[in-house]
Amino acid sequence: KMNSFVSAAKFISNTIRSSNKNGSAVTRGIISSLARSTKNISAMKSRLPTSVIIRANFSTSGSDIMSHFVAKGSDLEGNSIEEAMHSLANADAVCFDVDSTVINEEGIDVLADSLGKGEEVAAWTVKAMEGDTKFEDALAARLDIIKPSRASILKCLDDHPLVLSPGVDRLVEVLMQNGTHVFLVSGGFRIMIEPVAKSLGISKSNIVANTIFFDEDSATGEYSGFCRDEPTSADMGKPKAVQMLKDEHGYENVVMVGDGATDAQAKPPANAFVGFGGVAVREAVRGKACWYVRDFEDMIEVVEKFGKRM
């Protein structure tokens, strides 16, 4: 940060002067260089807009962020709210679950309903989200029940466009303005998530989700299986996905946001897990969340008021 650099330069310069009163050519050179750097940076700061200078200041502590919300009477819930708020404000990346978080329903249940298999599939979805069965078993069972063709999925999306949860579009917007990378990390299907990502301005390359295989020789693209190599196709897939993103991009601070047991598994390696109960409240998830929210308003405020601002 520029303020910190200026202070450090002055401190070092003064220290060298006091400990080398007679000075040598080297000492005088160091002092001169530091003085020039300090003067140049100070001049740069004088030409910068106030908003940019403010953004260069050191990040607000988690306790100070939390105090802001306590003072305004916010109803806060979670195991380590300060940590989660600070991580969100300074996140390199935020990973969102999609079903019952970014959108206000479970995509696979919507698809199953459109194919007349809703109740049967919904029962497996609840098991998967509550953590009562391994995710890979629930995924395989649901796909075996519905066997969706490409044509049937596209018709479903046409007839029943997936609806965003209130406020998520604004949260994604302020995160991006803050210089935070946004990913959709889902146990759902890429073919159904891509339109959601597009509506939020999120690149296809920032989707980690399951890939359905279709028979390209059939007129309607009949279902022929799914890719079991995707990290989110199996239990403990979301921690694998988060670690993959950290390794690939060098992120130090990643936040996971979601409603299900598989999302709670993401911490660690995620630095914080924000549980979302705006669509469905799952007690097992609520108990594991660093911060548990029922809408996105406070998260938006954390980023807008306390974000790192690139």
Side-chain angles (χ1 to χ4, degrees), residues 236 239 242-243 264-271:
M236 297 302 291
V242 171
Q243 189 61 59
Q265 291 173 344
K267 180 184 183 294
N271 300 75

Side-chain angles (χ1 to χ4, degrees), residues 63-265:
S63 60
D64 285 344
I65 298 174
M66 185 171 170
S67 295
H68 165 81
F69 287 94
V70 170
K72 61 182 274 191
S74 296
D75 187 13
L76 302 174
E77 182 179 356
N79 295 322
S80 47
I81 301 170
E82 292 180 10
E83 173 191 348
M85 287 180 167
H86 187 264
S87 291
L88 178 64
N90 297 281
D92 298 315
V94 174
C95 299
F96 288 90
D97 176 40
V98 176
D99 298 314
S100 295
T101 301
V102 169
I103 62 172
N104 66 0
E105 52 203 342
E106 293 288 326
I108 194 168
D109 292 350
V110 173
L111 179 59
D113 278 337
S114 74
L115 296 172
K117 304 283 187 179
E119 287 187 19
E120 200 174 349
V121 166
W124 277 102
T125 299
V126 170
K127 289 180 183 179
M129 293 301 99
E130 296 288 353
D132 294 336
T133 189
K134 285 188 175 181
F135 183 81
E136 59 264 37
D137 295 338
L139 179 62
R142 288 178 291 176
L143 283 172
D144 282 344
I145 291 167
I146 58 178
K147 293 184 167 61
S149 65
R150 179 187 282 113
S152 68
I153 293 174
L154 295 178
K155 184 177 187 305
C156 171
L157 293 175
D158 235 14
D159 295 343
H160 310 280
L162 299 176
V163 179
L164 295 177
S165 294
V168 73
D169 50 348
R170 177 61 182 156
L171 177 55
V172 169
E173 181 183 14
V174 297
L175 283 167
M176 289 180 173
Q177 289 172 352
N178 195 42
T180 300
H181 294 174
V182 177
F183 293 84
L184 301 180
V185 179
S186 173
F189 309 126
R190 178 175 289 274
I191 189 174
M192 299 182 74
I193 292 170
E194 285 180 352
V196 175
K198 184 177 181 181
S199 72
L200 292 169
I202 298 171
S203 167
K204 286 183 181 181
S205 62
N206 283 26
I207 300 172
V208 181
N210 290 312
T211 302
I212 296 177
F213 294 141
F214 302 105
D215 181 357
E216 301 301 339
D217 293 329
S218 62
T220 56
E222 292 303 301
Y223 172 73
S224 63
F226 67 96
C227 179
R228 294 179 182 269
D229 294 331
E230 297 282 6
T232 54
S233 68
D235 201 41
M236 297 302 291
K238 292 194 177 175
K240 289 178 187 173
V242 171
Q243 189 61 59
M244 177 185 77
L245 294 174
K246 279 190 159 187
D247 292 343
E248 184 177 332
H249 299 281
Y251 298 141
E252 293 183 4
N253 182 6
V254 176
V255 176
M256 181 75 210
V257 183
D259 71 297
T262 57
D263 305 310
Q265 291 173 344

